[in-house]
């Protein structure tokens, strides 16, 4: 299945890629990102300061609240990392419990994230202070802050991990 967060109308499209049949669920306004883990769909809803958790079979929607301005999400296969743009944090969600496990301070207005190939490091671009935060995933705290160009938005880690590109 394909899940699409339709930020403009506040819905998530669930598309069967074989039959091309589509269902649409109303989730909330200003949807930012969607990720699938443990047979659940996680959607960041910036206007509501929460993550909506959708069971795609029953279409029951749960909420994980207290995440100010959630935007980008990424998973390491164990946890889900969510950027809290307003608070300058990475919020870790335990997808087994669907609860916040930890909050990690990063720079101002974090914008995007990437994991290293072996998931040893989480990299976060911060548009508010023009930096890149480096978080070792075993320590779960920011250990290095690297100055970068104005308002970094995107990030990519090369597969050989010799280069990190920030745009």
């Amino acid at each position: 299945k394909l899940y699409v967060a339709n930020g403009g109308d506040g819905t998530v499209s669930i598309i069967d890629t074989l039959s091309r049949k589509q269902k649409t669920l109303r989730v909330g306004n200003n949807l930012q990102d969607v990720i699938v883990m443990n047979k659940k769909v996680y959607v960041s809803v910036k206007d509501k300061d929460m993550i909506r958790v959708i069971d795609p079979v029953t279409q029951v929607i749960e909420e994980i609240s207290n995440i100010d301005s959630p935007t980008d999400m990424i998973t390491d296969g164990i946890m889900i990392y969510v950027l809290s743009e307003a608070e300058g944090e990475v919020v870790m969600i335990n997808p087994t419990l669907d609860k916040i496990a930890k909050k990690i301070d990063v720079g101002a207005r974090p914008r995007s994230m990437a994991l290293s190939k072996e998931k040893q490091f989480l990299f976060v671009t911060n548009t508010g202070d023009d930096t890149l935060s480096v978080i070792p995933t075993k320590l779960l705290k920011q250990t290095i802050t690297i100055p970068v160009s104005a308002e970094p938005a995107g990030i990519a880690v090369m597969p050989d991990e010799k280069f990190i590109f920030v745009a």
Side-chain angles (χ1 to χ4, degrees):
K1 300 218 187 249
L2 174 65
Y3 301 92
V4 180
N6 304 305
D9 68 4
T11 62
V12 170
S13 297
I14 303 171
I15 303 167
D16 184 317
T17 55
L18 296 176
S19 68
R20 299 191 184 190
K21 290 183 180 178
Q22 178 176 324
K23 293 186 236 179
T24 303
L25 293 176
R26 179 97 183 112
V27 177
N29 294 326
N30 203 353
L31 308 182
Q32 296 291 303
D33 203 359
V34 63
I35 196 166
V36 179
M37 187 168 176
N38 294 350
K39 299 182 182 178
K40 295 181 275 186
V41 181
Y42 295 81
V43 183
S44 55
V45 186
K46 191 172 181 181
D47 287 357
K48 297 287 185 185
D49 294 337
M50 69 176 58
I51 303 299
R52 293 266 165 92
V53 184
I54 304 167
D55 180 322
V57 176
T58 64
Q59 298 184 0
V60 171
I61 300 175
E62 305 279 335
E63 297 176 353
I64 302 171
S65 51
N66 298 320
I67 304 173
D68 288 343
S69 299
T71 55
D72 195 25
M73 296 189 292
I74 195 169
T75 182
D76 62 4
I78 298 168
M79 295 294 228
I80 298 171
Y81 301 91
V82 182
L83 291 182
S84 170
E85 184 179 60
E87 295 297 322
E89 297 173 328
V90 173
V91 179
M92 291 176 53
I93 294 175
N94 178 329
T96 303
L97 304 173
D98 287 334
K99 301 229 180 271
I100 295 173
K102 183 175 178 76
K103 293 184 177 184
I104 304 165
D105 290 327
V106 292
R109 285 188 20 243
R111 180 60 178 255
S112 62
M113 295 180 283
L115 280 162
S116 61
K117 180 178 161 185
E118 298 297 321
K119 298 174 177 64
Q120 295 171 318
F121 296 97
L122 177 67
F123 303 99
V124 180
T125 60
N126 304 298
T127 61
D129 59 10
D130 306 331
T131 61
L132 175 70
S133 297
V134 181
I135 301 166
T137 54
K138 292 203 186 291
L139 294 178
L140 297 175
K141 67 178 186 176
Q142 177 179 300
T143 58
I144 300 171
T145 304
I146 301 169
V148 295
S149 63
E151 296 186 21
I155 184 166
V157 180
M158 292 297 295
D160 63 7
E161 297 185 342
K162 290 183 179 179
F163 294 99
I164 299 169
F165 294 95
V166 176

